[in-house]
Amino acid sequence: MTTIDPFLRPLAELADDAFIAVEETASYGSVLASLRQAHAGSLIVTRGGAVAGIFTERDVLNKCLLEATRPETPVRELMTPAPATLPLTATVRDAIALMNARRVRNLPLVDGRGAPKGLLTVGRLIRFLAYAFPAEVVNLPPRPGQVAEEVDGA
């Protein structure tokens, strides 16, 4: 039996295909309602069917609440434009590297035309890695760097 390195798995296996996508002309109020209804923390903003931006809880906190944004404001004025994206054929390793380099928690996954095909969140990635490496995760000490002074059961 051949074992596939979890880091070489294609993102198509992890992509959340139940992601939310809205056109850039959608209002801030309708976007918030969509996020609330779906219990989601982010959504993809499109222009002509391609990814134009991403709108996250962080955008709400850093841009909207501080400036008392009006509900009718178009989301294109509030989104993070031109987010980092990856194709569904990219690997888990590619996603980890890009998310770390760009310091992002949400990564739109796209087809060859730039149309959204999924959304990879850091939470989904962590759950995948915990499932792929159960012994390493289960055996982690409650505090990082914790070392037992005595051997248990001796």
Side-chain angles (χ1 to χ4, degrees), residues 25-29 69-75:
T25 55
S27 71
Y28 170 59
T69 301
R70 299 179 57 85
E72 61 274 3
T73 304
V75 73

Side-chain angles (χ1 to χ4, degrees), residues 4-132:
I4 298 175
D5 181 347
F7 293 103
L8 298 179
R9 290 255 201 236
L11 296 179
E13 295 180 15
L14 280 79
D16 180 2
D17 56 359
F19 65 94
I20 305 168
V22 299
E23 195 55 41
E24 68 179 351
T25 55
S27 71
Y28 170 59
S30 69
V31 164
L32 283 183
S34 296
L35 289 172
R36 201 171 316 129
Q37 181 179 4
H39 302 286
S42 62
L43 56 75
I44 297 171
V45 181
T46 62
R47 178 184 309 120
V51 173
I54 191 162
F55 186 76
T56 69
E57 294 167 320
R58 187 166 278 183
D59 292 318
V60 173
L61 291 173
N62 291 332
K63 298 174 186 174
C64 304
L65 292 179
L66 294 175
E67 298 172 14
T69 301
R70 299 179 57 85
E72 61 274 3
T73 304
V75 73
R76 76 172 157 264
E77 295 178 17
L78 308 167
M79 70 182 187
T80 300
T85 63
L86 282 175
L88 290 170
T89 55
T91 65
V92 169
R93 177 176 287 143
D94 297 331
I96 292 170
L98 184 58
M99 290 172 108
N100 183 53
R102 296 281 299 265
R103 297 192 188 306
V104 296
R105 299 177 188 171
N106 302 280
L107 197 58
L109 303 175
V110 298
D111 66 11
R113 298 177 297 114
K117 294 298 176 188
L119 181 65
L120 181 64
T121 64
V122 71
R124 185 174 285 266
L125 192 54
I126 288 170
R127 284 189 296 279
F128 169 78
L129 292 173
Y131 181 77

Side-chain angles (χ1 to χ4, degrees), residues 139-147:
N139 291 319
L140 286 174
R143 294 181 306 256
Q146 178 181 358
V147 178

